[in-house]
Amino acid sequence: EHGTNYTLDSYEIFGTIIAPNGKVLSVITHYNDDDTAGSRTVSIDFGKTGRYEVYLLDAEHDGELIQTTDTLVFELSNQSAILIKEI
């Protein structure tokens, strides 16, 4: 599953795959041409329960593991991306 949601100056891109072991792997990005644009709240429902590792790529994090969670609600700053990996 994949998609893009955008307006003239802002967009989010997401892609989700199911690995051969049945686990979910997903990437979500938030980008806005306006460098002063605020963050966005993202809520994800994969249609099943699970535990997930969340990795962040932004101005301060270089793909770092930031949390392990079963709740998929995130605040994404402008020009950032998260990788969600089911464990």
Side-chain angles (χ1 to χ4, degrees), residues 56-67:
L56 177 62
L57 176 62
D58 65 7
E60 299 168 5
H61 304 86
D62 189 16
E64 296 172 32
L65 176 64
I66 58 166
Q67 66 176 312

Side-chain angles (χ1 to χ4, degrees), residues 48-72:
K48 64 178 187 172
T49 58
R51 297 273 308 153
Y52 303 90
E53 292 177 340
V54 181
Y55 298 84
L56 177 62
L57 176 62
D58 65 7
E60 299 168 5
H61 304 86
D62 189 16
E64 296 172 32
L65 176 64
I66 58 166
Q67 66 176 312
T68 301
T69 185
D70 58 359
T71 304
L72 298 175

Side-chain angles (χ1 to χ4, degrees), residues 9-20:
D9 63 352
S10 174
Y11 64 87
E12 294 77 42
I13 298 175
F14 58 92
T16 302
I17 64 168
I18 306 297

